Amino acid sequence: MRIVRDVAAVRAAVAGAGRVGLVPTMGAFHEGHLSLIRAARQACDLVVVWLFVNPTQFNEAADLAGYPRDEERDARLAAECGADILFAPPVEEVYPDGFATTVTVSGIADVLEGAHRPGHFDGVATVVAKMFAMVAPEVAYFGAKDAQQVAVVRRMETDLNLPVRIEVLPIVREPDGLAMSSRNVRLDPDQRRRATVLHRGLAAGRAAVAAGERDAGAAAAVVARELARASITAEYIAVVDPDTFAPLERIERPALIALAARVGPVRLIDNMEVAP
Ligand code: AMP
C-alpha cells in the first residue's frame, strides 16, 4: 500500500486502474471503517482510502482539537484490509489559498445533525464532492452509522449527476451494542458503560413499533425513557423517512429512528431502522 499526499499523485495512480473504490474516512480506524475497506477490496480493482480530518465539517473547535489521530496505525490496518492507496493530504492540498466554493444541500441537510451542527453538512458535501473529483471513483463506500450523511451525499450525487455509485454498509457495533465510533475512545469507563443505553433505547423503540406502535412521538418517547434510566437526555430523537429525512408523524412504512446525545463530553449519534 502506498501513502499519497497530493492530488496529482492520486490521479496518476487511479488512471487506467479499472474499477476504483473510494472509502472516505477521518481516520482512527475501527471495525466500522475496516468493513468498508474490505467491501471495497472485494468489489474493486483499486482501493483508495481517504484519510483526512476535515476541519470544515467540525462546528466545535474542541471536537476538532480532540479528534483522535493515529496515521501509522491507520496505515497498518488499511494495508491489512487490502487497501492499495492511503490518500492522506495535508489541509493546504484540500483547501489551498483562496478556496471559496461550498456545496450546500438544502432540506435533508437542514434537520437533525444539520440543525444541531451548523455548517456541518456544507463541510461534508464540499469535501465529498472534492474527493469524488480528485479520485474519480466508480464506487464510494459509506457506513449506515452516519445515515443522514448518506442521504445528503445521495442527494448531491443525484442533483449534480456525479458519476459515482454509493454503497452503504451496515452499522458495526461493539458486543454490547454501542455503535463503533472514533469518538468512543474519549469516553471514560463510566461513560462507556452508560453509552450502551443509546443502542438499548433504539432497540426499545424498534420493539414498540414492531408491537404495533404507529405514533412517531410515542415511539421516540419510548427511546427517551430508556435513555433517562442512564441519566442521558438526547439532543434529538427523531423518526424520519430514511431517504429524505423528513420527520414522520405516523409509522406506516419502514422508517429510521435517529438520535444524538452527549455522554459526558462526547457527542454520539446512532440510528436504527424500524418497520411496522
Ligand atoms: P468517519 O471516519 O467517522 O468519518 O467515518 C468514515 C466512514 O465510516 C463513514 O462512512 C461512516 O459512516 C463509517 N462508519 C463510522 N462508524 C461506523 C460503524 N460503526 N459502522 C459502519 N460504518 C461506520
Side-chain angles (χ1 to χ4, degrees), residues 24-27 30 32-33 35-36 57 67 141-146 149 169-173 179-182:
T25 81
M26 297 205 301
H30 50 65
H33 299 110
S35 71
L36 304 182
Q57 72 189 70
Y67 201 82
Y141 294 83
F142 292 87
K145 159 92 186 329
D146 297 88
Q149 169 172 283
L169 278 101
I171 301 177
V172 179
R173 297 181 179 279
M180 289 195 181
S181 163
S182 302

Side-chain angles (χ1 to χ4, degrees), residues 202-210 219 239-240 242 248 251 253-257 272-276:
L202 289 168
R206 182 176 58 186
V209 175
V239 182
V240 298
L248 301 178
I251 307 170
R253 54 195 159 91
L256 203 69
I257 306 185
M272 200 173 276
E273 287 169 6
V274 297

